[in-house]
Structure formats: structure tokens, C-alpha cells
Amino acid sequence: MISVRDPQLQPLAAKVYDGQRLSFEEGLTLYQTRDLNTLMRLANYVRNERHGDDTYFVHSLRFSQTNICYVGCTFCSFAKRFGEEGAWDWSVAESVEWVREHYQPGLTEIHISSGHHPKRPFSYYPQLVAALRDNFPGVQIKAWTAAEIHHFAKIARSDYHRVLRELKDAGLVALPGGGAEIFSERVRRKIARNKVDANGWLEVHRTAHEMGIRSNATMLYGHIETLAERLDHMERLRKLQDETGGFMSFIPLSFQPWGNNLAQNLGKTEFTTGLDDLRNLAIARLYLDNFPHIKGYWATLTAPLAQVSLDWGVSDIDGTLIAESIVTSAGASSGRALSKEQLARYISDAGRVPVERDALYNVIRRYEAVS
Ligand code: V47
């Protein structure tokens, strides 16, 4: 048992050491406490119990077949309209060419997320997955957020199950966790009005899990949400994970304010600081007791803070992020990908063991532990 400065954390610490689940109110206490040192040590305890020093990363190419999108989320700096400068919309053949140009030896996954294109028919998407699978055998395809799967079901006049079945048959192995934003209806109305709602997002993941497709979950935070709304987001994920067990990791994404209107339109002038980000990761580790991994996404955190986050509950720092463009367009630091060696160095300099994994957390290489 560690010494606890904030007496309010005493009963929570006892529960954490006893492996008991935290309540919503206890989660709020963690958002309010000034005893960040205890919070860090509790999250680190849970992380070490689950994973020891093992810290995961993946050699990942980020691909978006289009940035054309009709949805108009106010936080987004990536989307373009038809004909706008900087818009792209690759055919299947052009997509394969693009991936070939950016391919690196040893690449493990192609992570795809993009815009909601109003005109492409659904048949294009399984064709794209199959073409990537055939041209890059052995590279896993983790493709399209639940928001996009919802869009595909609409344009195909079909349902989530049938859409996911076709994509899976074409070679898709997992879903990325984007599009979740914040589940609160109050916030969603303001920042992502035309996107799939919370229940739809959760239903896509439920359907995927029932079909054996594993997935991730994100949370976009640090804009206009309250702390209770962050916890509500985690609460809904925890419930679904109790049902299905299909989530692999949870990824908090701190809002990046450049090139979008959210900040100006809603009068937001202050954004998350390093300790906000670390606190949020630690709470996720403690609250989401049924999620295997909490990701410290270096693209939004910066790599040095992602390194520090390894003591705050984080067991995965995502990956090389070749050609990341979604958060980069909003000012994040991911414009330059990191090599596997650089990622391994960040991890081992933090006294942890780098483990290269694939999209499904199968181990590719465990590095030597530092002595
Ligand atoms: O859904 C968009 C977010 C997400 C901004 O599954 C922004 O392993 C911050 O899906 N500031 C897409 N965030 C990214 C995504 C993802 C990322 C990392 C790992 C995984 C995974 C998936 O990017 C979107 C949205 O929430 N985003 N704009 C912005 N201005």
C-alpha cells in the first residue's frame, strides 16, 4: 500500500489494490484530486499488474483514400469539399499506388480512416480492401471507423452486419477506434451533428465484436466537454466491453485546435496541458478495468510526453504512424513519422521493454530488457 496524501483517495486506493471496480462518483473524485502523485502510482500499479514493463507499438502506415467529407465536424481540419484545394479521392488503383509509394519493409498494418464520401458506392470499399490485401500480402488491414461503417450501411441501404461481413470477407481484420468523439448528446450536437450518434457507434462495435472483428475506442477531449461527460464516455465503453470483450485499446485524443473552427466558434481559448493529459490517461487506466490497453498516442501527446505516460497507466504508444494526416492537419506533432528504433528508444529509456506487435496485439518482437 502506498502513502496517500488526499484522504478522499484512501478508499479508492484500497479498491484498486483489491481489484474492485470504481464507481462514477469515484471517477469524478479522480478528476478533482490535486494528489496527482497518488493517481499516477495507482494507474502504474494496475498497468504493471497487467503488463509488467512490456510496452507495445506497431509499424503502421496511415492511409485515407479520400478527405472529401460532407459531415462538417467542427473540430476537424482534415475534411475538404469537392473541388476544394487539397482535396483527394483515390480510385482503387490509385490507392494501391499510394500505399506502394509509402510502403516500408516490415510494415505490419495499414490503418485506414477517411471522410464520408457522398458519391462512392459501397462496392468500392470491399474492392479496396481486397486490392490492398492482394498487393501487400501479410500486411493487416485495420479499416474505417464506426462512423464510416455507419455511412457505408446508409449508402448500401444495408445494415452493419452485412457491411462488416463484406469487408471482413475482403480481408479487413480490425476496426480503428475513431469517430467516437464524446458520446454526450449535448456535445455531439455541437461538434459532430451529422455524424453517427453514440448508440450507432456502440452498435457498430457490438456487431463487429459479435462477428469476431476486434476494435479500439477513442475519446476526443479537451474542447467543450465536462469532466462528467468524459467519464460518461468511458462508462458506456466499459459497459459494452463487459458485454463483448472485443475492445483491444482505449485512445484518448486531446483536441488539436489549428485549422478548424471549434475553438473560435465556441470561445475556447485554453487547451489541455501535459498534466491534464496524464491525469486523463491514468483515470482511463483505472476506470476502464476491462480494457487490455490504454494508448498514449504520441501524435497528440508528443513523443516525450508519451514516454512519461508509461508511468501513468499507458501500455501502448501506437506506432510509427507513417503519413498520419488527420491530427497532423490540426497541428499535432505527428507530421514526421518515428522509426521503430526511435520508438524502442523512447520506451527503453523509460525503463520499459519495447514489444513490437501487430494490429491484433500478436507479438512480433520483444526487445531486450534494459538492465
Ligand atoms: O475520430 C479529428 C480525431 C480521430 C482532431 O484505433 C482529432 O488505434 C484531435 O481513429 N484534434 C481519427 N483529434 C483517429 C483515429 C485513431 C487514432 C489513433 C489510434 C487509433 C486506433 C485510431 O481523430 C477522429 C477524431 O476523433 N480528430 N480531428 C483534432 N482536431
Side-chain angles (χ1 to χ4, degrees):
M1 183 63 95
I2 55 171
S3 66
V4 173
R5 221 177 54 213
D6 177 354
Q8 278 196 298
L9 294 191
Q10 200 78 56
L12 271 81
K15 278 178 93 170
V16 169
Y17 287 120
D18 200 31
Q20 288 181 47
R21 177 164 277 192
L22 299 182
S23 69
F24 195 87
E25 287 64 35
E26 288 165 335
L28 282 180
T29 303
L30 293 176
Y31 270 118
Q32 282 145 7
T33 186
R34 292 177 61 88
D35 188 358
L36 287 172
N37 192 273
T38 297
L39 175 60
M40 174 191 75
R41 284 182 292 158
L42 291 175
N44 195 37
Y45 168 79
V46 173
R47 180 256 201 255
N48 289 345
E49 282 292 294
R50 267 187 177 272
H51 301 293
D53 284 328
D54 287 357
T55 304
Y56 294 81
F57 68 92
V58 60
H59 196 6
S60 176
L61 174 66
R62 304 312 232 230
F63 173 59
S64 304
Q65 80 285 350
T66 187
N67 59 355
I68 292 173
C69 188
Y70 65 80
V71 169
C73 298
T74 57
F75 56 80
C76 184
S77 311
F78 169 78
K80 301 276 182 209
R81 303 272 166 187
F82 276 113
E84 196 179 334
E85 201 190 324
W88 72 81
D89 180 17
W90 309 131
S91 66
V92 169
E94 287 166 336
S95 297
V96 170
E97 211 34 54
W98 188 98
V99 171
R100 205 182 297 291
E101 273 168 27
H102 293 82
Y103 182 88
Q104 290 184 6
L107 190 75
T108 306
E109 69 167 22
I110 303 172
H111 167 132
I112 312 178
S113 68
S114 59
H116 291 37
H117 191 291
K119 296 207 174 130
R120 288 265 181 214
F122 173 60
S123 55
Y124 162 86
Y125 298 96
Q127 280 166 18
L128 175 54
V129 173
L132 293 174
R133 177 199 59 194
D134 295 345
N135 281 278
F136 307 98
V139 180
Q140 295 169 319
I141 299 161
K142 169 167 142 238
W144 296 305
T145 67
E148 290 158 290
I149 302 294
H150 175 81
H151 166 68
F152 298 164
K154 260 191 358 202
I155 56 174
R157 295 181 202 281
S158 184
D159 56 38
Y160 300 152
H161 188 276
R162 272 184 265 181
V163 162
L164 288 167
R165 166 62 49 208
E166 278 203 50
L167 294 171
K168 186 177 184 199
D169 288 348
L172 175 142
V173 305
L175 298 186
E181 322 316 355
I182 280 274
F183 291 143
S184 149
E185 286 70 22
R186 178 192 79 85
V187 179
R188 247 180 142 74
R189 265 199 304 278
K190 293 191 175 150
I191 68 168
R193 194 158 22 121
N194 301 319
K195 200 171 226 169
V196 64
D197 65 11
N199 289 335
W201 190 97
L202 291 163
E203 191 54 33
V204 169
H205 285 263
R206 181 181 287 108
T207 309
H209 297 172
E210 283 166 1
M211 296 170 64
I213 304 172
R214 302 192 71 199
S215 69
N216 297 327
T218 56
M219 173 175 79
L220 177 67
Y221 71 101
H223 42 91
I224 57 162
E225 83 291 354
T226 63
L227 298 177
E229 284 164 339
R230 286 191 205 175
L231 264 187
D232 164 69
H233 190 91
M234 292 189 216
E235 174 70 27
R236 297 195 212 192
L237 290 173
R238 191 167 77 172
K239 275 210 183 93
L240 180 55
Q241 181 73 335
D242 276 345
E243 255 180 67
T244 66
F247 287 115
M248 300 178 285
S249 73
F250 176 65
I251 309 128
L253 300 168
S254 59
F255 171 58
Q256 310 290 308
W258 287 271
N260 59 65
N261 295 325
L262 194 155
Q264 293 92 316
N265 290 358
L266 297 172
K268 180 91 186 160
T269 53
E270 287 176 355
F271 306 100
T272 66
T273 62
L275 280 171
D276 293 337
D277 294 331
L278 295 172
R279 179 198 292 266
N280 200 60
L281 288 162
I283 294 173
R285 179 63 287 166
L286 294 172
Y287 203 76
L288 293 175
D289 56 355
N290 52 7
F291 271 63
H293 295 282
I294 305 298
K295 250 189 215 181
Y297 190 47
W298 68 263
T300 47
L301 290 174
T302 74
L305 194 62
Q307 184 186 41
V308 173
S309 77
L310 302 184
D311 282 350
W312 292 72
V314 163
S315 52
D316 185 302
I317 57 171
D318 203 299
T320 46
L321 305 186
I322 306 160
E324 201 293 323
S325 58
I326 294 181
V327 292
T328 301
S329 63
S333 67
S334 45
R336 273 184 42 222
L338 290 178
S339 67
K340 290 200 284 189
E341 291 66 34
Q342 285 169 308
L343 291 170
R345 177 163 173 238
Y346 274 108
I347 294 168
S348 53
D349 279 5
R352 305 287 186 171
V353 178
V355 182
E356 188 187 348
R357 61 165 177 88
D358 69 9
L360 300 172
Y361 286 86
N362 298 305
V363 172
I364 293 175
R365 175 182 170 197
R366 173 174 274 101
Y367 288 58
E368 292 297 308
V370 280
S371 50

